[in-house]
Amino acid sequence: MRNTIFADANSDYKKSRYVICGVPFDGTSCFRKGSKTAPLAMRAASYNFEAYSSFFDVDLRDIGIHDAGDLKVADNIDETLSMISVHADKYVKDGKLPVMLGGEHSLTFPFANACKKKYPDLGFVVLDAHMDLRQEYQGEQNSHACISRHVIEDVTRKYVSVGIRSGAREEYEYVRENGIKVFSGEDVFSMGIENILQEIRDFIKGPVYLSIDMDAIDPAYAPALGTPEPYGMTPRDVRTVISCLAPDIVGFDLVEIAPEYDSGNTALLGARLVRDFIMASAKAGTV
Ligand code: MN
Ligand code: MN
């Protein structure tokens, strides 16, 4: 059983507030594939850590956490999205807080959408190096490079991205024309993450979906990525985002690690952030 489920995630589904699931799909990844193996790599890495964290003063063994394993996927993205939306809808309907381990970023959609059905005023915060605001990419509308566009147009206008430092000129125009709230990687560096979080909380009052594209983090800390981009956030910045937003978070995912491109550090950091999120959320109490 060891390594096949996330460490300390062995509660029954019924008794659990948190449901971890992996989605091993990277079909639209363009530069470096491999994120489909990230759920298993993060599960294996999760055994490195103590159940107790002094930072949060929380022990994961005191929390109801269920690992539902990897969800079944198809070989194309459209079918995969419709298959996993059944599970995402069920988790949220059953009162669970979904914790999705990707896989590529397009997989966020069914989980954010499931939360939107339950929380009509849902806000969405994404940490990412990339805009992901294209209408289509390489002929694919459901590409990882389009996820934020889908969220804004089909899930919620209460959208904020943080850590951005890459996008096409058209994506920057879309942001300007539509008044989209974007904090760049440079903003994080110059303003400090606490000030950005204050603005985010003033803008989004109420339930939040948090999506972490691992490439928001600087490749010095997280080199095993599908599309690495220098000048990124620090792991501490990300932990601060998680801790600060935790009281309002109703859905969470961590995507885009491509484990084979390093000796395990990125999956380790991913697993740490997932554990930190569950600890922060449990400590804050449920929404
Ligand atoms: Mn990205
Ligand atoms: Mn992304």
Side-chain angles (χ1 to χ4, degrees):
M1 211 46 188
R2 193 176 150 91
N3 292 0
T4 62
I5 66 160
F6 201 81
D8 307 302
N10 38 22
S11 301
D12 290 345
Y13 178 84
K14 269 199 167 136
K15 290 186 196 143
S16 298
R17 163 72 174 148
Y18 301 91
V19 173
I20 296 174
C21 65
V23 187
F25 182 88
D26 60 8
T28 82
S29 297
C30 47
F31 185 60
R32 305 199 298 204
K33 283 192 189 291
S35 67
K36 69 177 175 193
T37 66
L40 271 184
M42 279 190 272
R43 287 190 181 97
S46 66
Y47 286 85
N48 175 56
F49 301 110
E50 295 278 2
Y52 174 74
S53 157
S54 62
F55 182 82
F56 292 104
D57 189 24
V58 168
D59 194 309
L60 285 176
R61 288 168 300 191
D62 299 333
I63 304 169
I65 311 167
H66 176 76
D67 187 342
D70 281 355
L71 304 183
K72 254 187 98 174
V73 299
D75 44 9
N76 70 79
I77 182 63
D78 295 350
E79 213 179 312
T80 298
L81 290 175
S82 80
M83 284 161 74
I84 63 177
S85 70
V86 177
H87 299 277
D89 288 348
K90 178 175 166 34
Y91 300 155
V92 176
K93 232 162 98 199
D94 290 347
K96 313 299 180 190
L97 196 162
V99 176
M100 188 270 281
L101 314 178
E104 60 168 64
H105 209 170
S106 46
L107 304 166
T108 294
F109 188 84
F111 289 89
N113 202 34
C115 292
K116 170 74 175 178
K117 289 178 202 163
K118 179 157 181 181
Y119 307 95
D121 60 337
L122 184 77
F124 183 92
V125 175
V126 58
L127 311 186
D128 203 324
H130 306 94
M131 289 278 195
D132 290 354
L133 285 172
R134 287 177 157 94
Q135 193 126 46
E136 61 148 70
Y137 190 61
Q138 297 177 338
E140 179 55 72
Q141 289 199 353
N142 282 322
S143 163
H144 65 98
C146 310
I147 179 64
S148 279
R149 182 76 170 251
H150 286 310
V151 167
I152 291 169
E153 292 184 350
D154 300 328
V155 181
T156 178
R157 304 277 307 183
K158 273 167 78 173
Y159 165 97
V160 184
S161 60
V162 183
I164 305 294
R165 51 203 187 271
S166 169
R169 187 183 292 279
E170 298 73 38
E171 293 178 281
Y172 281 87
E173 279 163 9
Y174 178 86
V175 164
R176 260 195 309 278
E177 283 164 12
N178 294 280
I180 310 292
K181 240 185 169 42
V182 171
F183 293 96
S184 68
E186 296 306 311
D187 290 335
V188 176
F189 185 74
S190 60
M191 295 170 67
I193 194 68
E194 286 84 2
N195 291 318
I196 289 174
L197 283 161
Q198 190 55 53
E199 283 195 35
I200 292 175
R201 295 194 79 172
D202 291 344
F203 173 60
I204 300 176
K205 295 187 178 79
V208 178
Y209 187 98
L210 177 62
S211 177
I212 299 180
D213 181 328
M214 199 68 178
D215 64 35
I217 299 173
D218 195 279
Y221 301 103
L225 301 165
T227 44
E229 190 70 43
Y231 305 115
M233 299 171 71
T234 67
R236 252 198 195 83
D237 290 333
V238 176
R239 187 179 62 180
T240 304
V241 172
I242 287 171
S243 315
C244 176
L245 299 180
D248 297 317
I249 293 174
V250 295
F252 176 91
D253 67 54
L254 194 148
V255 298
E256 293 287 351
I257 294 175
E260 67 186 90
Y261 289 93
D262 74 0
S263 49
N265 285 337
T266 310
L268 205 66
L269 178 55
R272 177 74 262 169
L273 292 169
V274 168
R275 294 169 78 77
D276 287 350
F277 164 66
I278 294 171
M279 288 175 173
S281 171
K283 191 172 181 175
T286 52
V287 179

